[in-house]
Amino acid sequence: MDTRPTPPEAPPAGDGAIRRPGLLGSWPEMTYAGVLSFMRRTYTRALDGADVVVSGIPLDLATTYRPGARLGPAAIRAASVQLAELKPFPWGFDPFETLAVIDAGDCWLDAHRPHTIPGAIRDHARRILASGARMLTFGGDHYVTYPLLQAHAERFGAPLALVHFDAHCDTWPDDAPDSLNHGTMFYKAVREGLIDPAHSVQIGIRTWNDDFMGLHVLDAPTVHARGADWALQRILAIVGPRPAYVTFDIDCLDPAFAPGTGTPVAGGLTSAQALQIVRGLVPLNLIGMDVVEVSPPYDHADLTALAAAHVACDLLCVLAAQRGARR
């Protein structure tokens, strides 16, 4: 007969993505092991009680140069696990004590029937938004923002304010209704009245367009010269209280900080500049957000995926701060 004392039961730990009994809170994880949801949040398609739904849209059929962004959602999730270990810097609070965040996996796309893709993304977004949750979406190439904007404009009312971090303005002309092009989405969005150019702003731009369609452009050289805080104050002044959608193309960052992207452009923002701006967006009426264009085949040491995960984490912290989270 074994007379050794029974060891105390260990507290729950590991694989919180599938074992956590509720949507709130965090528990111990091995950062190098386990189920790879974004920041170890619960994997579920059940939307009840969720404040924010994380999902991926693994599309790169709209790229004009290097593909690979279909692998972006998985890379961002994998890079995010170390961020779930500690309270995010510089916030000093656990956003998941305030926000019920789930990872709903990826939007189903039939890559062999590309004409069905815009509708599939819209329907995916409509279902999530109908639950009352906000969306944090991972691309995929930047085209995915177009059907996401359509769904958000339906839900929150058009036109929306757009806060757009990018190397490219993505307002090049395209009047073909069925085209998949990651450089023309905001041309279409302006033409359709989805966004209001007078209250929309593009940050980090360093490509030319003869017509920026009235959007405010804070190009990369100007941000370098005048500083991140100046850029933040301009964003807040331009957008004001209007419902705002934030889209972050990772090529907003200089290739030194984000080499793994489809169309890299030298001279971009540093990760420190971009994060400083994102962390200051708490005053916005933030109704949706995405992080796009991570292309893992061109990444080095997960630099790009890690930068994207940090941006996404900070966007969640912005929402948590808006709901009263404090250190």
Side-chain angles (χ1 to χ4, degrees):
M1 181 177 181
D2 190 346
T3 60
R4 290 175 296 180
T6 303
E9 184 176 348
D15 281 330
I18 57 175
R19 297 179 58 226
R20 185 181 296 105
L23 299 185
L24 290 170
S26 301
W27 66 9
E29 301 272 2
M30 292 184 290
T31 57
Y32 49 85
V35 177
L36 292 177
S37 64
F38 180 70
M39 293 187 71
R40 307 292 190 181
R41 302 324 298 163
T42 300
Y43 253 135
T44 180
R45 293 291 173 100
L47 304 179
D48 294 347
D51 297 312
V52 182
V53 175
V54 176
S55 66
I57 304 181
L59 174 74
D60 60 10
L61 298 180
T63 53
T64 51
Y65 187 35
R66 307 190 304 194
R70 66 181 62 187
L71 304 176
I76 296 170
R77 288 184 175 105
S80 77
V81 295
Q82 67 168 299
L83 302 181
E85 185 177 16
L86 301 171
K87 294 177 181 178
F89 177 87
W91 302 93
F93 58 68
D94 180 353
F96 307 120
E97 296 291 345
T98 302
L99 293 175
V101 180
I102 66 170
D103 189 327
D106 290 342
C107 174
W108 167 254
L109 304 174
D110 188 342
H112 305 292
R113 300 170 65 224
H115 61 282
T116 68
I117 287 174
I121 298 171
R122 280 193 301 271
D123 289 345
H124 171 77
R126 285 167 174 158
R127 183 179 71 87
I128 293 171
L129 293 173
S131 75
R134 297 288 193 263
M135 294 184 70
L136 170 58
T137 308
F138 301 145
D141 65 49
H142 211 161
Y143 175 82
V144 306
T145 303
Y146 175 47
L148 288 172
L149 281 174
Q150 291 174 321
H152 281 78
E154 289 175 5
R155 177 70 178 177
F156 296 99
L160 303 172
L162 182 71
V163 180
H164 172 205
F165 294 83
D166 207 324
H168 310 87
C169 60
D170 296 335
T171 51
W172 288 285
D174 179 4
D175 293 309
D178 57 351
S179 71
L180 295 178
N181 187 323
H182 72 162
T184 65
M185 314 82 59
F186 302 130
Y187 173 88
K188 292 176 180 291
V190 171
R191 292 289 294 267
E192 292 177 22
L194 301 177
I195 60 174
D196 180 357
H199 297 288
S200 297
V201 57
Q202 300 179 309
I203 307 100
I205 303 301
R206 50 198 187 276
T207 47
W208 188 255
N209 189 344
D210 289 334
D211 183 3
F212 288 95
M213 302 191 74
L215 281 80
H216 297 266
V217 176
L218 311 183
D219 61 40
T222 302
V223 175
H224 291 315
R226 306 194 70 170
D229 187 63
W230 171 86
L232 172 62
Q233 297 310 313
R234 288 289 297 138
I235 293 166
L236 298 179
I238 290 164
V239 174
R242 294 157 188 80
Y245 187 96
V246 173
T247 180
F248 197 105
D249 186 327
I250 204 65
D251 72 26
C252 175
L253 303 182
D254 189 86
F257 302 91
T261 191
T263 318
V265 182
L269 302 193
T270 69
S271 55
Q273 287 173 316
L275 292 174
Q276 181 180 342
I277 296 170
V278 168
R279 289 166 181 164
L281 298 180
V282 176
L284 290 187
N285 179 9
L286 183 57
I287 53 90
M289 48 203 173
D290 63 51
V291 183
V292 299
E293 294 284 359
V294 173
S295 184
Y298 299 98
D299 208 359
H300 302 283
D302 301 326
L303 289 175
T304 312
L306 184 61
H310 274 278
V311 169
C313 175
D314 276 333
L315 286 169
L316 286 179
C317 289
V318 166
L319 281 180
Q322 290 176 342
R323 300 197 180 195
R326 296 290 182 271
R327 68 179 67 176

